[in-house]
């Protein structure tokens, strides 16, 4: 069993963050006789999964299936059908963003080309 400060240190986060995860039902704690939060050792893996997914742009609701998959005893949070569905949706979102960014890049490139062409034309005609 780990106290909140111990888990936070091992996970590279803060006790406040762990309480936040707990409030959202992602991390589980029990209370000892003094009222201190205690965490099973396996919660470290859950916290690592949460932090990794958050860093990849996932929201807390998107993370729930991954946590449930780990809690079901799977070796990884991404191997369950609900997690796979979230991954597919996130890939589609990223693909959409990439398409939008590509269109913006093309417009910017066109504007730059036009500006350079205009500049060269002005330089040639100016004595």
């Amino acid at each position: 069993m780990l106290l909140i400060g111990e888990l936070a240190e091992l996970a590279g986060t803060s006790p406040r963050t762990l309480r936040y995860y707990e409030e959202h039902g992602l991390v589980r704690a029990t209370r000892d006789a003094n009222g201190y939060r205690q965490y099973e050792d396996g919660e470290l893996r859950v916290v690592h999964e949460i932090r990794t997914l958050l860093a990849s742009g996932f929201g807390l609701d998107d993370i729930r299936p991954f946590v449930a998959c780990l809690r079901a005893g799977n070796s990884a949070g991404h191997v369950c059908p609900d997690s796979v569905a979230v991954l597919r949706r996130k890939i589609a979102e990223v693909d959409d963003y990439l398409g939008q960014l590509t269109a913006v890049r093309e417009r910017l490139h066109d504007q730059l080309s036009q500006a350079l062409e205009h500049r060269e034309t002005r330089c040639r005609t100016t004595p």
Side-chain angles (χ1 to χ4, degrees):
M1 296 295 276
L2 299 167
L3 295 174
I4 193 167
E6 296 168 328
L7 179 58
E9 185 176 338
L10 289 171
T13 192
S14 67
R16 182 178 182 179
T17 298
L18 293 178
R19 287 190 296 273
Y20 179 77
Y21 296 161
E22 184 181 347
E23 287 172 16
H24 286 85
L26 296 172
V27 175
R28 294 179 183 164
T30 58
R31 300 283 183 152
D32 67 12
N34 294 325
Y36 293 112
R37 286 178 171 86
Q38 291 189 324
Y39 299 88
E40 296 287 335
D41 292 345
E43 290 302 295
L44 178 60
R45 187 168 179 209
V46 170
V47 173
H48 281 301
E49 184 84 4
I50 293 167
R51 292 177 49 79
T52 298
L53 292 168
L54 286 172
S56 297
F58 286 68
L60 294 180
D61 287 336
D62 291 331
I63 292 171
R64 291 182 198 292
F66 295 83
V67 171
C69 191
L70 285 176
R71 291 199 191 290
N74 293 289
S75 61
H78 64 274
V79 298
C80 295
D82 289 345
S83 302
V84 170
V86 171
L87 289 170
R88 284 188 173 130
R89 184 175 46 76
K90 292 302 274 185
I91 289 170
E93 288 175 13
V94 169
D95 287 345
D96 184 49
Y97 292 140
L98 286 173
Q100 292 175 31
L101 287 172
T102 299
V104 169
R105 184 182 188 285
E106 288 171 0
R107 284 193 303 273
L108 292 172
H109 189 293
D110 290 346
Q111 289 177 348
L112 177 61
S113 295
Q114 290 171 8
L116 293 174
E117 183 179 310
H118 176 72
R119 186 174 159 190
E120 287 177 17
T121 304
R122 280 186 72 209
C123 289
R124 278 188 258 149
T125 59
T126 306

